[in-house]
Amino acid sequence: MEENVKLSVAEDAVEYHLFLLPEEPRDPEKHKEVLQKYIAAITTQYAPLLVSYIWQNQPFNLRYKPAKGSIPAHIVGVTKFGDNIEDEWFIVYLIKQITKKFPELVARIEDNDGEFLLIEAAEFLPKWLDPDNSTNRVFFHCGELCIIPAPRRAGEIPWLPATPPTISQALSIITRHSEKIIASESIQAAVNRRIKGYPEKIQTSLHRAHCFLPAAAVAILKQRPQLIAAAVQAFYLRDPIDLRACRTFKMFLPETRIMASLTFTKCLYAQLVQQRFVPDRRSGYSLPPQSHPQYRAHELGMKLAHGFEILCAKASPLTDFKKPLIMNNSLWNDFLESLKQKDYFEGEMEGSAKYLQKLRLAENYFQQSVNGPENFLDISPGEEILTLLQTVPFDLEELKKEDANLPLEDDDRWLYLSPDQLDQILQEATGRDEPGLTPTPKGEEEPNYDLTKVTESVKAFVSKVSTHKGAELPREPSEAPITFDADSFLNYFDKILGPDSGESDSDDFDGDDLDGEDSEGLDSDDDVDLADQGPEGKASTKKTLESIKSLMAQMDQELAHTSIGKSFTTWKEMDNLTKEPSQTLGSHSNDEVTADGTVLEPVDVDLNLVSNILESYHSQAGLAGPASNLLHSMGVQLPDDIDHRHPST
């Protein structure tokens, strides 16, 4: 990461950087010592969350990175999260909490998509912010998301650079103007919604299941439960060359299989369950009939055994890797004392089975994250498994006794979603979990759906600014009232097209005439400067306006002799049906007469709009389509179309 160059992050990986404030010249060795103390403090502080966490590919890790160019020395970490996107958002939660606990630290985080935090809050970003100018602008500080703004003009704000800031400039801005760069509440809410539920969410993302697998694999997973992720990945990503090692098993023999209770993440469990696989007959692994009550346990164990065997076949033994004795290390003693203060052992008596199990997990975590070699992540899971097979003794008969008292399995019905559950998840993901979006239980009255929301939302949509980048959607339609000031709208176009004398003064128009976000579109660099129009420009725009009016009159005359008007509902037809003027959709004007005497009856625009949208919605037959997609993006939810008859029949 050189100055303001974007990070180059590997696929399905997240990279995070922690910088120390205030940024001022200091002795490099002393700076390194300070940063390493922060690494130890962070690792210890969040050990209760990280010790037993099962990562999809790589764990959360921190290491010291020396200064390079204009980038000061700092703390860096890279984690490959693979198919489990929750690992990435858990890291976002950790980074946010770290900067909250240590306010002198500032963090930035990116993945291979770039500023994915901005992607999550894309609907609420200011218009000037885009991927091209977002480099080194997004940071966490004191637990708050900060976005360094860009000035409209160079030099307008002295402390803001005209180009994307370098890391040093960004740190200086955060140090001196932190309160001025906090992201808006809507952006903060979008990111916070994604990490909502942590740390409790860690437990709900786990799944416990029974597996019938070799005793050696059970012993390894007791010592290192996180290796289950590597075994699942090895099986899930297998190829024909990998399966050659599974024709005859050398390390995990089928004759030693026992029943055990294992803990997966839901992502790992789904990957293992959903793949159909028939083992090689020569392997010795056979499955009972699918009607067998323990068929699922046999199938899971067989797949895991294949994963472990593949890992070992790819690895070479680490003859020089030995786990150091850490029990007499002062750093370990401080780490262990910190865990006790945070009630990591949950009141278990020292020496009990559960206490020792937690102690082993803490030792492994300490070895990898605090006291281990700097290139610990380069040690493959297969090499670690081979080392554990040589160093971890286990009693087969003792393990067989344990399978008689296994805890119950978790229900895996979460794997199978109904359409209603899927809709609910999508609504929650978009932040529109509102009443009326979920099906009405039987026996309860259907909610009243207000069709005026359809017309109001579409009016707001067509009044938004559209460019080559696309059309803008009204934001938060359920929370903010939708307004459309027709007078201001027409007045604005009069300014552009050239009104009569006395109406072209640019002072008559104020950007505030358009409420809310509508005025934002008029403040862009592409807007017409009406005040700069000279006499020739005014004459030209007046001529253009007259030409447009003439063209519209010709179109009206041509359409009057066709049957196109019969496809629209007019106010007169509605009057004949209701016998009184409509009170909800406004009043109508008198009929117009063209130059050739043809009568033009006013069209009920709102009614025709709703009718056409409902007909389009009906034609979708319950599937996704333009009508439902457009209305859903505006926050308008229609009831399920259960009437299969065509409206015209």
Side-chain angles (χ1 to χ4, degrees):
M1 185 181 62
E2 287 290 345
E3 296 195 358
N4 59 353
V5 178
K6 288 182 176 293
L7 297 176
S8 178
V9 186
E11 188 75 17
D12 295 332
V14 59
E15 184 169 328
Y16 32 97
H17 299 252
L18 293 165
F19 300 92
L20 184 60
L21 294 179
E23 178 51 37
E24 57 187 24
R26 52 169 66 93
D27 179 63
E29 288 301 320
K30 184 175 291 186
H31 194 191
K32 179 179 180 180
E33 183 181 345
V34 170
L35 289 176
Q36 287 178 334
K37 287 183 178 179
Y38 272 105
I39 293 175
I42 293 169
T43 307
T44 303
Q45 176 69 30
Y46 298 98
L49 298 179
L50 298 171
V51 163
S52 58
Y53 191 89
I54 299 175
W55 300 92
Q56 184 79 6
N57 275 354
Q58 290 180 343
F60 177 80
N61 60 91
L62 298 173
R63 70 178 189 276
Y64 168 79
K65 186 171 184 177
K68 184 178 181 181
S70 63
I71 303 175
H74 61 284
I75 302 169
V76 67
V78 181
T79 297
K80 291 183 179 180
F81 53 84
D83 294 322
N84 192 359
I85 194 69
E86 287 303 322
D87 283 358
E88 180 177 35
W89 287 104
F90 176 51
I91 290 176
V92 173
Y93 167 78
L94 287 174
I95 294 296
K96 178 181 171 72
Q97 294 302 312
I98 288 171
T99 60
K100 188 175 182 179
K101 178 68 177 178
F102 303 96
E104 62 274 20
L105 292 178
V106 173
R108 66 175 302 215
I109 181 168
E110 285 189 349
D111 64 9
N112 53 288
D113 290 327
E115 298 283 0
F116 67 97
L117 297 180
L118 298 184
I119 296 175
E120 189 67 22
E123 294 184 9
F124 311 103
L125 298 180
K127 294 184 178 182
W128 61 265
L129 188 59
D130 58 44
D132 295 330
N133 64 10
S134 62
T135 307
N136 297 340
R137 293 192 186 276
V138 185
F139 293 85
F140 274 112
H141 180 234
C142 295
E144 300 283 353
L145 185 65
C146 298
I147 300 178
I148 298 176
R152 290 178 179 270
R153 294 177 297 275
E156 180 182 19
I157 302 177
W159 51 272
L160 286 179
T163 59
T166 64
I167 288 294
S168 298
Q169 288 175 328
L171 296 179
S172 177
I173 292 171
I174 295 172
T175 301
R176 296 173 174 82
H177 307 282
S178 58
E179 71 286 349
K180 298 179 182 178
I181 60 173
I182 296 177
S184 66
E185 291 184 4
S186 55
I187 296 176
Q188 299 266 13
V191 174
N192 290 337
R193 183 171 62 245
R194 197 63 179 80
I195 59 177
K196 181 181 179 181
Y198 284 109
E200 294 79 10
K201 195 175 179 180
I202 297 174
Q203 292 302 317
T204 61
S205 67
L206 300 178
H207 182 87
R208 184 168 55 193
H210 291 172
C211 299
F212 192 61
L213 74 167
V218 175
I220 288 173
L221 291 175
K222 279 181 172 292
Q223 186 74 16
R224 281 278 283 117
Q226 290 82 0
L227 286 174
I228 196 170
V232 172
Q233 291 299 296
F235 173 79
Y236 185 73
L237 302 175
R238 68 192 180 280
D239 56 33
I241 297 177
D242 293 334
L243 291 178
R244 291 178 185 174
C246 300
R247 292 173 182 171
T248 55
F249 279 69
K250 299 179 180 178
M251 310 301 295
F252 301 95
L253 305 179
E255 298 82 13
T256 63
R257 285 180 292 177
I258 60 173
M259 193 67 70
S261 177
L262 302 181
T263 300
F264 302 80
T265 63
K266 288 183 176 179
C267 180
L268 293 171
Y269 181 78
Q271 287 181 321
L272 203 61
V273 167
Q274 296 298 332
Q275 280 211 353
R276 299 184 62 183
F277 177 73
V278 178
D280 194 303
R281 292 182 179 180
R282 293 168 290 182
S283 67
Y285 281 88
S286 58
L287 297 176
Q290 292 190 7
S291 58
H292 192 280
Q294 293 183 330
Y295 173 80
R296 175 60 61 84
H298 281 73
E299 183 187 35
L300 291 175
M302 176 269 296
K303 293 176 179 179
L304 277 177
H306 278 72
F308 276 110
E309 192 73 20
I310 291 171
L311 289 174
C312 291
K314 288 183 173 181
S316 56
L318 284 180
T319 55
D320 58 342
F321 176 73
K322 293 183 180 180
K323 188 174 179 180
L325 295 176
I326 61 175
M327 300 305 293
N328 295 324
N329 188 313
S330 59
L331 195 57
W332 160 255
N333 293 331
D334 295 340
F335 176 74
L336 185 60
E337 187 61 32
S338 176
L339 291 181
K340 291 178 179 178
Q341 292 176 2
K342 294 178 173 59
D343 195 29
Y344 166 74
F345 294 99
E346 299 176 345
E348 294 292 330
M349 292 191 61
E350 191 168 343
S352 66
K354 193 168 183 178
Y355 179 93
L356 293 176
Q357 181 183 6
K358 283 183 166 289
L359 183 63
R360 284 196 301 269
L361 292 176
E363 289 176 357
N364 289 322
Y365 172 76
F366 180 84
Q367 172 63 24
Q368 294 180 43
S369 304
V370 182
N371 199 47
E374 194 161 322
N375 61 345
F376 191 90
L377 292 176
D378 296 333
I379 300 173
S380 71
E383 293 167 340
E384 189 175 357
I385 291 170
L386 289 176
T387 302
L388 290 172
L389 286 173
Q390 298 173 5
T391 58
V392 177
F394 64 91
D395 188 340
L396 180 59
E397 295 302 321
E398 198 66 33
L399 291 175
K400 286 183 177 180
K401 292 179 182 178
E402 293 181 5
D403 67 11
N405 299 307
L406 296 179
L408 294 175
E409 293 183 287
D410 292 336
D411 193 338
D412 64 359
R413 281 184 294 183
W414 54 266
L415 276 171
Y416 312 100
L417 294 176
S418 66
D420 293 339
Q421 290 173 319
L422 179 59
D423 287 342
Q424 180 66 20
I425 291 174
L426 292 176
Q427 295 295 342
E428 293 174 355
T430 56
R432 292 176 179 149
D433 186 17
E434 303 170 4
L437 298 183
T438 54
T440 304
K442 293 182 178 180
E444 296 185 11
E445 294 183 1
E446 288 284 338
N448 294 324
Y449 292 90
D450 187 1
L451 292 180
T452 59
K453 286 187 177 180
V454 177
T455 59
E456 291 174 352
S457 296
V458 175
K459 283 180 179 179
F461 174 68
V462 297
S463 68
K464 301 297 287 186
V465 176
S466 61
T467 66
H468 64 283
K469 295 182 179 180
E472 298 179 5
L473 291 170
R475 298 181 182 176
E476 301 180 4
S478 61
E479 298 178 8
I482 298 173
T483 60
F484 180 73
D485 189 340
D487 293 335
S488 296
F489 185 73
L490 294 175
N491 184 35
Y492 177 57
F493 279 95
D494 282 343
K495 299 296 186 293
I496 295 178
L497 298 177
D500 294 333
S501 61
E503 296 180 359
S504 61
D505 189 356
S506 61
D507 292 338
D508 292 344
F509 176 76
D510 187 352
D512 295 335
D513 288 343
L514 293 182
D515 294 336
E517 297 166 5
D518 293 342
S519 61
E520 292 177 13
L522 309 178
D523 197 26
S524 65
D525 296 335
D526 300 330
D527 294 334
V528 178
D529 191 351
L530 304 177
D532 294 340
Q533 288 188 357
E536 294 182 1
K538 294 177 181 179
S540 175
T541 52
K542 183 177 181 179
K543 184 178 180 180
T544 301
L545 179 60
E546 292 175 352
S547 175
I548 291 176
K549 288 180 178 179
S550 175
L551 180 61
M552 295 296 293
Q554 294 177 30
M555 291 176 60
D556 287 342
Q557 291 179 9
E558 292 180 9
L559 292 175
H561 297 289
T562 67
S563 60
I564 190 68
K566 297 179 181 180
S567 63
F568 298 100
T569 303
T570 63
W571 282 106
K572 188 172 183 179
E573 292 175 352
M574 290 302 299
D575 283 346
N576 292 336
L577 292 175
T578 62
K579 302 299 181 182
E580 60 183 8
S582 173
Q583 298 297 318
T584 57
L585 300 178
S587 60
H588 62 278
S589 60
N590 296 327
D591 297 347
E592 297 180 7
V593 181
T594 63
D596 60 355
T598 305
V599 178
L600 300 178
E601 298 178 353
V603 172
D604 189 340
V605 178
D606 289 348
L607 180 60
N608 283 278
L609 171 64
V610 172
S611 298
N612 283 304
I613 287 181
L614 290 179
E615 186 173 354
S616 176
Y617 182 69
H618 175 83
S619 66
Q620 295 176 193
L623 302 176
S628 59
N629 289 343
L630 179 62
L631 293 176
H632 182 270
S633 64
M634 299 177 183
V636 177
Q637 185 77 9
L638 294 179
D640 293 335
D641 184 11
I642 58 176
D643 185 1
H644 300 289
R645 297 172 298 175
H646 195 276
S648 62
T649 60

